[in-house]
């Protein structure tokens, strides 16, 4: 019997072995859009590195960004 297929919109599990994430993978983890994530990268809000011609986000930069958001004063967040 075949296993039930998960819908394409289901969240993929985090692979703890990944050191660098694509912008799309980081956006999925943050539950934000790809374009928004690219804007945050370009603004320097989320740390990123280039590997050749590719843009990658270190896996630990995602929780660091969330921690930065949590400690931002309420007046700044608006």
């Amino acid at each position: 019997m075949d296993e039930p297929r998960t819908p394409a919109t289901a969240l993929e599990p985090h692979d703890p072995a990944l050191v660098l994430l694509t912008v799309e993978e980081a956006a999925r983890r943050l539950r934000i859009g790809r374009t928004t994530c690219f804007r945050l990268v370009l603004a320097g809000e989320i740390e990123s590195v280039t590997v050749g011609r590719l843009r990658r986000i270190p896996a630990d930069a995602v929780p660091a960004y969330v921690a930065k958001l949590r400690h931002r004063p309420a007046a700044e967040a608006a």
Side-chain angles (χ1 to χ4, degrees), residues 1 8 10-11 18 23 25 27-28 30 44 48 57 72 74 77:
M1 184 174 257
L11 291 176
L18 291 177
V23 173
E25 290 167 335
R28 249 191 319 271
L30 290 167
S48 67
I57 298 174
R72 187 185 316 182

Side-chain angles (χ1 to χ4, degrees), residues 5-62:
R5 301 183 105 205
T6 56
T9 59
L11 291 176
E12 297 172 7
H14 297 300
D15 183 354
L18 291 177
V19 176
L20 295 174
L21 306 171
T22 64
V23 173
E24 290 82 1
E25 290 167 335
R28 249 191 319 271
R29 288 187 181 192
L30 290 167
R31 305 288 301 255
I32 61 175
R34 179 180 155 275
T35 303
T36 301
C37 195
F38 268 111
R39 284 189 190 129
L40 291 170
V41 166
L42 291 174
E45 292 286 320
I46 297 178
E47 178 190 358
S48 67
V49 297
T50 54
V51 181
R53 293 175 52 195
L54 303 173
R55 175 69 52 188
R56 294 293 182 255
I57 298 174
D60 61 348
V62 175

